[in-house]
């Protein structure tokens, strides 16, 4: 563009189901990234909230001519949720009842598909853990995870937190190797550590002691 337009000269619209919807007061600021020639501009846009997930096209245009300067894709997603936690407690040593010892399983919905267990960062409070097995399904993933001992072997409730750290698609027009800010796709649930009750290991009778 020959000059930096004023805020009122730029409009933003979204294509929703094939219908273009104009967004009011969407542009918060405009600044040139090059001083000599206005070949690039940086716009701060206030994105509207939505109740449905999906990838939508946004157009940026001049008000005077309705000329579309550029467009971009923007993803709305439902927040990931831990929809099923097999067991939400373990001893302070990280051991729970059952044959699997120090493991538990959970189901995450609204979560990206995984290509490896390393695609998920997993912590029990401040203690990191890792994925043992995973199984992708439509709309989420099933995980079997290691339950670590409690920090300092202290009983109590901690936050079992999971976040997606895998690869994300390069945005249209993006540069390979550039870091792009993404909204974290993360979920959490409470997990309780407890001190087990004393257990009698063995009982012996001593004839000499009791004579």
């Amino acid at each position: 563009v020959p000059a930096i337009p004023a805020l009122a000269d730029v409009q933003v619209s979204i294509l929703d189901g094939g219908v273009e919807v104009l967004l009011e007061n969407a542009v918060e600021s405009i600044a040139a990234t090059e001083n000599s020639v206005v070949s690039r501009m940086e716009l701060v846009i206030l994105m509207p909230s939505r109740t449905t997930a999906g990838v939508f096209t946004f157009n940026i245009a001049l008000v005077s001519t309705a000329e579309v300067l550029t467009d971009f894709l923007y993803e709305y997603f439902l927040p990931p949720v831990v929809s099923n936690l097999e067991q939400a407690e373990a001893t302070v040593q990280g051991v729970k009842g059952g044959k699997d010892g120090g493991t538990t399983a959970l189901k995450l919905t609204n979560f990206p598909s995984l290509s490896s267990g390393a695609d998920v960062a997993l912590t029990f409070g401040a203690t990191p853990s890792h994925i043992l097995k995973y199984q992708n399904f439509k709309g989420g993933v099933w995980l079997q995870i290691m339950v670590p001992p409690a920090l300092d072997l202290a009983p109590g409730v901690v936050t079992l937190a999971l976040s997606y750290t895998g690869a994300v698609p390069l945005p249209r027009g993006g540069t390979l190797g550039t870091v792009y800010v993404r909204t974290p796709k993360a979920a959490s649930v409470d997990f309780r550590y407890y001190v087990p009750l004393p257990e009698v290991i063995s009982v012996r009778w001593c004839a000499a002691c009791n004579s």
Side-chain angles (χ1 to χ4, degrees):
V1 292
I4 302 174
L7 289 180
D9 295 333
V10 178
Q11 64 184 20
V12 181
S13 59
I14 178 176
L15 292 178
D16 190 353
V19 178
E20 187 171 11
V21 179
L22 186 65
L23 306 178
E24 295 185 2
N25 303 317
V27 182
E28 291 193 332
S29 66
I30 301 177
T33 57
E34 297 179 5
N35 294 326
S36 57
V37 179
V38 186
S39 59
R40 280 195 282 176
M41 293 185 302
E42 181 178 285
L43 283 74
V44 177
I45 299 174
L46 179 63
M47 303 304 292
S49 60
R50 292 191 61 87
T51 57
T52 55
V55 177
F56 297 86
T57 299
F58 285 79
N59 291 327
I60 300 175
L62 290 175
V63 174
S64 57
T65 62
E67 175 191 359
V68 175
L69 301 176
T70 187
D71 62 3
F72 62 92
L73 299 178
Y74 194 84
E75 179 191 6
Y76 288 92
F77 61 88
L78 297 173
V81 176
V82 178
S83 57
N84 184 31
L85 178 60
E86 183 183 79
Q87 188 152 333
E89 63 179 16
T91 70
V92 291
Q93 294 285 358
V95 178
K96 68 178 187 64
K99 62 181 180 180
D100 293 329
T103 71
T104 189
L106 57 86
K107 183 170 71 172
L108 280 169
T109 54
N110 305 326
F111 204 75
S113 295
L114 307 183
S115 58
S116 77
D119 290 344
V120 178
L122 168 66
T123 56
F124 285 75
T127 306
S129 187
H130 60 276
I131 309 299
L132 296 173
K133 297 179 183 178
Y134 71 90
Q135 179 65 54
N136 294 313
F137 61 87
K138 185 177 180 180
V141 62
W142 172 89
L143 302 174
Q144 184 181 27
I145 61 178
M146 177 64 68
V147 179
L151 184 65
D152 298 327
L153 299 183
V157 176
V158 301
T159 298
L160 168 52
L162 308 101
S163 59
Y164 180 72
T165 57
V168 293
L170 190 69
R172 186 172 59 186
T175 303
L176 190 64
T178 301
V179 177
Y180 295 93
V181 177
R182 306 281 183 155
T183 301
K185 294 185 177 180
S188 63
V189 67
D190 286 344
F191 190 89
R192 187 178 75 91
Y193 285 104
Y194 65 93
V195 177
L197 295 174
E199 181 180 356
V200 177
I201 303 300
S202 66
V203 177
R204 296 186 178 183
W205 184 81
C206 175
C209 297
N210 290 275
S211 60

